[in-house]
């Protein structure tokens, strides 16, 4: 069990630099271990706080990384600062880059059929040495073991699960016992960016930790989801004051 952890509403975040997190994931793959990775932002933490079953799933992960500046701010409010934000998309891209160098095998699960296909095509084009062991869209019957059996047969080093939370974490948790190896990581909306359907915030916005605001400008319909951030930070302040 990871010891360098910061608890926030019962979720234990790894407190490491981006490079150290990547090194740990690479070690999981090198040693052919099985690992469940959650990239958690304030929205996920707030959802987990109100859904005990989902919270227990996130708590069962081998690694929970702080995907969202709100998590880093919360850790500072609670006087237990996390080193840096580890963005899920950055982690995905770095794993693809390393996979290209190491010729890892990946499987991409999730998204609409056309989105999944576009993402696969772009990955194949940008990372030609990477081996795409297989892919499947996110619209399938969970009771049908076909997809799980297909992934097992493909024997991937990494399975990117883009079903959106809480589905992706639930799927990984329920199916992980059937696998003997592989890095299973929930990547949510990253598949839309990989497919070229959603543009990521420019570097300028990311450096200012305003990627969330850029996404809101580009996708105004996200405003209800964005309300989780002020509620989350408000809760952190209440916890601090209560102490």
């Amino acid at each position: 069990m990871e010891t360098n952890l910061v608890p926030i509403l019962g979720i234990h975040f790894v407190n490491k630099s981006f490079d150290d997190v990547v090194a740990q994931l690479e070690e999981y793959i090198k040693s052919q271990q099985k690992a469940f990775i959650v990239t958690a932002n304030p929205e996920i933490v707030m959802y987990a706080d109100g859904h005990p079953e989902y919270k227990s799933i996130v708590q069962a992960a081998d690694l929970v990384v702080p995907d969202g500046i709100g998590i880093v701010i919360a850790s500072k409010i609670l006087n237990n600062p996390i080193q840096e934000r580890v963005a899920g998309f950055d982690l995905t891209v770095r794993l693809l880059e390393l996979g290209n160098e190491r010729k890892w095998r990946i499987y991409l699960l999730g998204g609409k059929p056309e989105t999944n296909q576009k993402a696969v095509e772009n990955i194949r084009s940008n990372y030609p040495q990477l081996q795409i062991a297989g892919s499947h869209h996110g619209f399938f019957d969970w009771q049908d073991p076909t997809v799980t059996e297909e992934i097992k047969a493909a024997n991937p080093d990494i399975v990117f699960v883009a079903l959106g939370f809480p589905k992706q974490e639930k799927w990984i948790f329920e199916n992980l016992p059937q696998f003997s190896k592989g890095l299973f990581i929930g990547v949510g909306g990253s598949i839309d960016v990989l497919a070229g359907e959603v543009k990521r915030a420019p570097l300028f916005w990311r450096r200012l930790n305003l990627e969330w605001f850029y996404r809101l400008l580009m996708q105004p319909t996200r405003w209800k989801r964005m309300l989780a951030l002020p509620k989350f930070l408000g809760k952190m302040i209440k916890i601090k004051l209560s102490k």
Side-chain angles (χ1 to χ4, degrees):
M1 182 75 153
E2 180 65 44
T3 55
N4 195 16
L5 299 171
V6 174
I8 298 177
L9 289 182
I11 304 300
H12 291 76
F13 287 87
V14 65
N15 189 8
K16 289 184 175 183
S17 69
F18 179 86
D19 288 341
D20 285 343
V21 169
V22 170
Q24 183 165 355
L25 299 186
E26 191 173 7
E27 184 54 39
Y28 282 137
I29 295 169
K30 275 183 182 176
S31 57
Q32 295 202 337
Q33 292 182 60
K34 183 168 59 173
F36 170 21
I37 315 301
V38 175
T39 60
N41 58 19
E43 194 179 356
I44 284 178
V45 174
M46 288 296 282
Y47 184 87
D49 194 51
H51 298 80
E53 182 186 356
Y54 179 67
K55 187 174 188 175
S56 66
I57 288 172
V58 176
Q59 289 171 330
D62 294 283
L63 218 59
V64 182
V65 301
D67 179 11
I69 192 61
I71 300 296
V72 177
I73 293 171
S75 70
K76 291 176 180 176
I77 291 172
L78 298 175
N79 296 321
N80 195 358
I82 287 172
Q83 289 184 43
E84 65 177 293
R85 175 191 177 206
V86 180
F89 184 74
D90 291 338
L91 210 52
T92 300
V93 170
R94 188 68 188 120
L95 288 171
L96 291 173
E97 290 171 347
L98 283 171
N100 193 51
E101 294 171 17
R102 314 277 199 272
K103 297 184 179 179
W104 288 339
R105 295 172 61 79
I106 71 157
Y107 192 101
L108 186 61
L109 176 65
K112 297 174 183 175
E114 60 273 21
T115 303
N116 186 284
Q117 193 54 45
K118 282 182 191 174
V120 166
E121 289 169 5
N122 289 342
I123 290 170
R124 189 171 278 129
S125 174
N126 294 324
Y127 309 97
Q129 300 304 312
L130 187 71
Q131 299 181 62
I132 297 178
S135 65
H136 197 285
H137 59 75
F139 298 86
F140 60 94
D141 180 3
W142 283 29
Q143 305 308 313
D144 184 346
T146 305
V147 171
T148 302
E149 291 301 325
E150 183 183 301
I151 297 172
K152 280 169 70 176
N155 195 34
D157 297 295
I158 306 173
V159 180
F160 292 107
V161 185
L163 301 175
F165 92 88
K167 286 184 178 180
Q168 59 196 20
E169 288 78 29
K170 287 182 178 179
W171 185 89
I172 294 171
F173 180 77
E174 289 176 12
N175 289 274
L176 198 63
Q178 301 192 49
F179 298 93
S180 59
K181 57 162 269 195
L183 193 69
F184 291 76
I185 178 168
V187 297
S190 292
I191 191 170
D192 297 317
V193 183
L194 291 171
E197 294 181 355
V198 172
K199 188 177 178 182
R200 199 182 180 198
L203 187 58
F204 170 77
W205 291 79
R206 302 205 302 270
R207 282 180 172 164
L208 290 176
N209 290 316
L210 288 173
E211 187 169 6
W212 62 272
F213 186 57
Y214 178 86
R215 289 172 72 188
L216 181 59
L217 291 176
M218 295 297 103
Q219 297 173 282
T221 53
R222 292 177 61 89
W223 72 269
K224 284 186 179 179
R225 292 180 60 181
M226 292 296 183
L227 290 176
L229 181 56
K231 287 179 182 177
F232 171 72
L233 293 178
K235 196 158 191 168
M236 295 302 103
I237 292 168
K238 283 182 181 177
I239 292 171
K240 182 179 175 67
L241 292 175
S242 69
K243 291 181 179 178

